[in-house]
Amino acid sequence: MPRIAVDAMGGDRVPCVPVAGAVEALSNHPDLTVVLVGPADQIEAELSKFDYDRSRIEIVHTDEWVEMGESPVEALRNKPNSSLSMMVKLQKEERVDGIFSAGNTGAMVAACTVHLRMLEGVRRPAIALPLPRGKTPVMLCDGGANVECRPLHLLQNAIMAEALLRCAYSVESPKVGLLNVGSERDKGHALAKETYQLLEASGLDFTGNVEGCDIFQADVDVVVCDGFVGNVVLKTAEGFSEVLFKTLVSELGSGMADIGVDLAPFKALLNGGLQKIRSRFDYSEYGGAPLLGPKGVCTIGHGRSDQKAVANALAWTLRMIENGIQQELVDSIEREMEHVGSTTVGQRRTGQAESRTSN
Amino acid sequence: MPRIAVDAMGGDRVPCVPVAGAVEALSNHPDLTVVLVGPADQIEAELSKFDYDRSRIEIVHTDEWVEMGESPVEALRNKPNSSLSMMVKLQKEERVDGIFSAGNTGAMVAACTVHLRMLEGVRRPAIALPLPRGKTPVMLCDGGANVECRPLHLLQNAIMAEALLRCAYSVESPKVGLLNVGSERDKGHALAKETYQLLEASGLDFTGNVEGCDIFQADVDVVVCDGFVGNVVLKTAEGFSEVLFKTLVSELGSGMADIGVDLAPFKALLNGGLQKIRSRFDYSEYGGAPLLGPKGVCTIGHGRSDQKAVANALAWTLRMIENGIQQELVDSIEREMEHVGSTTVGQRRTGQAESRTSN
């Protein structure tokens, strides 16, 4: 009986959205038990709106929570009993099999890194950001967990995201591309060049460099980058889409009025079309973004997640648990690190990378 | 009488587009003389289509040119007489006041860096990418010239882009923002944190960090980043727009058909609206992207530049020449480096940065 803890106070609309999403997940997955962490009275008030099997919901009470804009470091220090920290502790004590929060991403990464520690062989956490594309997503990794990357971290981002796609998303042989400023192998900064060589020495299906323009129409399954670039890419796409909405609505709207077309059905269509576009980089379709590396199955949702997004997030978290993602990550890291180490070129390179990446 | 050299073989459609753009620029600017560099017979054939003052066009003949996809390093090595290299040599010998190419960006950066050397006090070249926004652009700097950045390089990117906006774009007190993964001052990697302190110690109007989502709706005039991130941001926006076009046309198109609306006027509107969106990151509106740092007024155009874009590029290059951009850059670098050095915090920080950035 898998158990997943949910941060009832994580997200833009709390606790209503996390609670509603949890109840929806229960009805979809008969085996699941959900542990809601947050103020018991508020959670109970939300729960009273639904019809559900009470034996499959538990509440862990706390009066503290982390705000969306709060400094992760200060939140961790000053709010040891926040719903987020309490949830992470449940995972640490193995009282749950996985955790989910649509709250403060930085605080979630920090809490998981500090309290859960890393899986054997893993150096740094990485957010695997699933960008919708046909049947299976493109996995952008790292989406922002680790902004200070070494080549070895990027190699491990690739290994973990590839293992995730195989294990939980049923992609048979995921192809890996390295985000760079050009397609040729000698492109980019030292970080990119050294990572290229590590990826080449690995057993992964590494197909070479990909560029920014390829991210949303990639013929690879994993796009590897450091967390700084991943964060900027994600937010650039989000910001660009905002500007786009405004420009399109005003340009097309006034144009349609000029030629005497009724605007009502057009606006509905436009909204539908734009929603589809938004979903190109809105990971809610894939139930949030897995945080890979920490000892625990951790999923991070977007602050603006709705009930369906939360339910999807829990469905994918459950799938990771049931498919044994933790063991798969450990095995993949061990296998690939050994592979890179045993390759002649790889041996030298890994040695270099290791010496630079020692904590 | 300002003279600008144009790479007649730089761009997707050559020599027709560069030649047509040059002729258009001549008619807009009675003082201008253009030097077209490329195969004389092909250039003459294009010129024969136009009515213009022959005394204001010169041709420097060469049979060699750099292809768009060619390796910059190899192009420089193997094609010393390419139209691009010949053009750069004209600038070096001060036979022209400025140069423009819509060809291979990497080759242009490499040729200018190697042959022209840097202005006094400038460490590295940077592409100032003007992103259209109302009356004046947001200047993203560096757009991809220098992928291996130190804090001092980022400080100089800010100084040069700010000087450019004042000198050539008539922005009175440009505000400077640092592209980062969050708005708080302690965000980001070491490069971002150290750059933050340098910018703070400078005399620039530095307003703090900006995020990816702010680039296209920024309330700053300069967005500072390293060339790796700048390139990825630009290409991500371009790629995202491609996907967007396809999704919108198919989604809206089929929707309109379903409700029985005539598609023809709609498609025209959609194209117009999308064109406006494309122009949000298409620097052709501002006549290409100035390459700041080398001893010479150098402008880089997008490969897909049309006649109007080339004419605009030459207009802005002319404006930079007439407003004395080179001296302004040297003065600004000297003033700000002194300012940062004289600030207590700055002195220490610059010292650190200097020691790391020595060639």
Side-chain angles (χ1 to χ4, degrees):
Chain A
M1 294 286 285
R3 293 160 58 86
I4 299 177
V6 173
D7 177 4
M9 300 309 280
D12 292 338
R13 286 169 294 153
V14 289
C16 62
V17 168
V19 169
V23 171
E24 186 177 326
L26 285 184
S27 71
N28 297 338
H29 308 281
D31 278 352
L32 181 65
T33 294
V34 169
V35 181
L36 291 166
V37 187
D41 50 346
Q42 289 188 47
I43 293 173
E44 292 285 9
E46 283 302 322
L47 282 173
S48 69
K49 298 173 186 169
F50 300 96
D51 192 23
Y52 63 97
D53 176 358
R54 181 63 207 231
S55 72
R56 291 167 56 209
I57 283 205
E58 295 170 24
I59 297 175
V60 170
H61 172 75
T62 179
D63 272 330
E64 238 171 35
W65 54 86
V66 180
E67 303 290 346
M68 290 303 272
E70 214 167 326
S71 153
V73 177
E74 286 177 25
L76 232 66
R77 190 190 300 136
N78 303 332
K79 294 181 175 173
N81 295 320
S82 72
S83 54
L84 198 153
S85 283
M86 299 273 283
M87 181 186 73
V88 172
K89 277 176 209 156
L90 290 176
Q91 171 78 72
K92 186 181 169 71
E93 293 161 4
E94 295 183 12
R95 289 165 59 197
V96 296
D97 305 294
I99 59 178
F100 169 77
S101 176
N104 187 313
T105 299
M108 178 74 164
V109 173
C112 291
T113 307
V114 171
H115 295 308
L116 301 180
R117 317 293 287 267
M118 293 296 109
L119 289 168
E120 201 184 321
V122 178
R123 296 300 185 94
R124 293 280 189 283
I127 294 173
L129 199 71
L131 302 168
R133 170 206 57 175
K135 283 184 188 167
T136 59
V138 177
M139 207 58 86
L140 185 75
C141 187
D142 171 19
N146 174 23
V147 296
E148 200 79 71
C149 277
R150 305 283 180 179
L152 191 64
H153 303 157
L154 289 183
L155 170 66
Q156 293 201 339
N157 291 355
I159 298 168
M160 292 194 291
E162 198 259 4
L164 174 68
L165 277 171
R166 272 189 291 104
C167 176
Y169 293 77
S170 306
V171 180
E172 271 190 28
S173 312
K175 284 190 232 170
V176 175
L178 175 64
L179 188 58
N180 206 332
V181 297
S183 55
E184 303 83 357
R185 62 172 295 149
D186 61 341
K187 285 281 180 180
H189 44 30
L191 174 61
K193 288 176 191 169
E194 289 177 35
T195 303
Y196 192 105
Q197 290 175 308
L198 289 179
L199 286 168
E200 221 174 16
S202 77
L204 302 173
D205 187 3
F206 175 55
T207 61
N209 292 326
V210 294
E211 298 184 73
C213 46
D214 304 322
I215 294 175
F216 296 97
Q217 42 198 342
D219 58 358
V220 293
D221 304 292
V222 176
V223 172
V224 181
C225 63
D226 68 66
F228 191 94
V229 168
N231 177 287
V232 170
V233 159
L234 178 69
K235 287 185 182 161
T236 297
E238 286 190 354
F240 188 55
S241 121
E242 293 292 332
V243 168
L244 172 85
F245 275 39
K246 288 181 202 158
T247 313
L248 257 194
V249 168
S250 93
E251 283 298 307
L252 296 189
S254 67
M256 298 296 270
D258 286 350
I259 56 172
V261 174
D262 177 23
L263 282 182
F266 165 73
K267 280 191 177 157
L269 283 175
L270 192 61
N271 281 337
L274 293 177
Q275 211 49 53
K276 271 229 168 171
I277 289 156
R278 277 209 156 152
S279 77
R280 292 305 292 248
F281 58 87
D282 182 357
Y283 49 78
S284 67
E285 188 177 332
Y286 282 99
L291 176 65
L292 304 175
K295 286 179 183 163
V297 179
C298 314
T299 303
I300 300 173
H302 201 291
R304 64 167 189 258
S305 294
D306 58 10
Q307 173 181 333
K308 188 169 172 293
V310 173
N312 283 345
L314 298 181
W316 284 99
T317 307
L318 182 61
R319 190 154 172 185
M320 288 192 282
I321 294 167
E322 290 176 338
N323 291 12
I325 182 68
Q326 296 288 88
Q327 192 56 50
E328 185 59 46
L329 290 174
V330 171
D331 293 347
S332 298
I333 287 282
E334 188 186 0
R335 183 179 61 244
E336 291 304 331
M337 295 310 288
E338 213 166 273
H339 196 288
V340 171
S342 69
T343 312
T344 317
V345 179
Q347 213 152 21
R348 184 165 47 83
R349 295 290 159 190
T350 322
Q352 285 175 3
E354 288 278 355
S355 68
R356 293 184 189 198
T357 48
S358 57
N359 292 344
Chain B
M1 294 287 284
R3 294 160 57 85
I4 299 177
V6 173
D7 177 4
M9 300 309 279
D12 291 340
R13 286 170 295 152
V14 291
C16 61
V17 168
V19 169
V23 172
E24 186 177 327
L26 285 184
S27 71
N28 296 338
H29 308 281
D31 278 352
L32 181 65
T33 294
V34 169
V35 181
L36 292 166
V37 186
D41 50 345
Q42 288 189 47
I43 293 173
E44 292 285 9
E46 283 303 322
L47 282 173
S48 68
K49 298 174 187 167
F50 300 98
D51 193 22
Y52 63 97
D53 177 358
R54 182 61 206 235
S55 72
R56 291 167 56 210
I57 284 204
E58 294 170 23
I59 297 174
V60 170
H61 173 76
T62 179
D63 272 330
E64 238 171 33
W65 54 87
V66 180
E67 303 291 343
M68 291 302 274
E70 214 167 325
S71 153
V73 177
E74 286 177 24
L76 232 66
R77 190 189 301 136
N78 303 333
K79 294 181 176 173
N81 295 319
S82 72
S83 54
L84 197 154
S85 284
M86 299 274 282
M87 182 186 72
V88 172
K89 277 176 207 157
L90 291 176
Q91 171 77 70
K92 186 181 169 70
E93 294 162 4
E94 295 183 14
R95 290 165 59 195
V96 295
D97 305 294
I99 58 177
F100 169 77
S101 176
N104 186 314
T105 299
M108 177 76 163
V109 173
C112 292
T113 306
V114 171
H115 295 310
L116 301 180
R117 317 292 288 265
M118 293 296 109
L119 289 168
E120 202 185 322
V122 178
R123 297 301 187 94
R124 292 279 189 282
I127 294 172
L129 200 70
L131 302 168
R133 171 206 56 173
K135 283 183 188 168
T136 59
V138 177
M139 207 58 85
L140 184 74
C141 188
D142 174 16
N146 174 22
V147 296
E148 199 80 70
C149 278
R150 305 283 181 180
L152 191 65
H153 303 157
L154 289 183
L155 170 67
Q156 294 201 340
N157 291 355
I159 298 168
M160 293 194 290
E162 197 260 3
L164 174 69
L165 278 172
R166 273 190 290 104
C167 176
Y169 294 78
S170 305
V171 180
E172 271 189 28
S173 311
K175 285 191 232 169
V176 175
L178 174 64
L179 188 58
N180 206 332
V181 297
S183 54
E184 303 85 356
R185 62 172 293 147
D186 62 341
K187 285 281 179 178
H189 43 32
L191 174 62
K193 288 176 190 170
E194 288 177 36
T195 303
Y196 191 105
Q197 290 174 309
L198 289 178
L199 287 168
E200 222 174 15
S202 77
L204 301 173
D205 186 3
F206 174 56
T207 61
N209 292 325
V210 294
E211 298 184 74
C213 45
D214 304 322
I215 294 175
F216 296 98
Q217 41 198 342
D219 58 358
V220 294
D221 304 293
V222 176
V223 172
V224 181
C225 63
D226 67 66
F228 191 94
V229 168
N231 176 287
V232 170
V233 159
L234 177 71
K235 287 186 182 159
T236 297
E238 286 190 352
F240 189 55
S241 121
E242 292 293 330
V243 169
L244 172 85
F245 274 40
K246 287 180 202 158
T247 313
L248 257 193
V249 168
S250 93
E251 284 297 308
L252 296 188
S254 66
M256 299 295 272
D258 286 350
I259 56 173
V261 175
D262 177 22
L263 282 182
F266 163 73
K267 280 192 176 157
L269 283 175
L270 191 62
N271 281 337
L274 293 177
Q275 211 49 51
K276 272 228 168 174
I277 289 155
R278 276 207 156 154
S279 76
R280 292 303 294 246
F281 59 86
D282 183 356
Y283 49 77
S284 69
E285 188 176 332
Y286 281 99
L291 176 65
L292 304 176
K295 286 181 183 161
V297 180
C298 315
T299 303
I300 300 173
H302 201 291
R304 63 166 188 258
S305 295
D306 57 11
Q307 174 182 334
K308 188 167 172 294
V310 173
N312 283 345
L314 297 181
W316 284 100
T317 307
L318 182 60
R319 190 155 173 183
M320 287 192 282
I321 294 167
E322 290 177 338
N323 291 13
I325 182 68
Q326 296 288 88
Q327 193 56 49
E328 185 59 46
L329 290 175
V330 171
D331 293 346
S332 299
I333 287 282
E334 188 186 0
R335 183 179 62 247
E336 291 304 331
M337 295 310 290
E338 213 166 274
H339 196 289
V340 171
S342 69
T343 313
T344 316
V345 179
Q347 212 151 21
R348 185 164 48 83
R349 294 290 160 192
T350 322
Q352 286 177 2
E354 287 278 356
S355 68
R356 292 184 188 202
T357 50
S358 56
N359 292 343

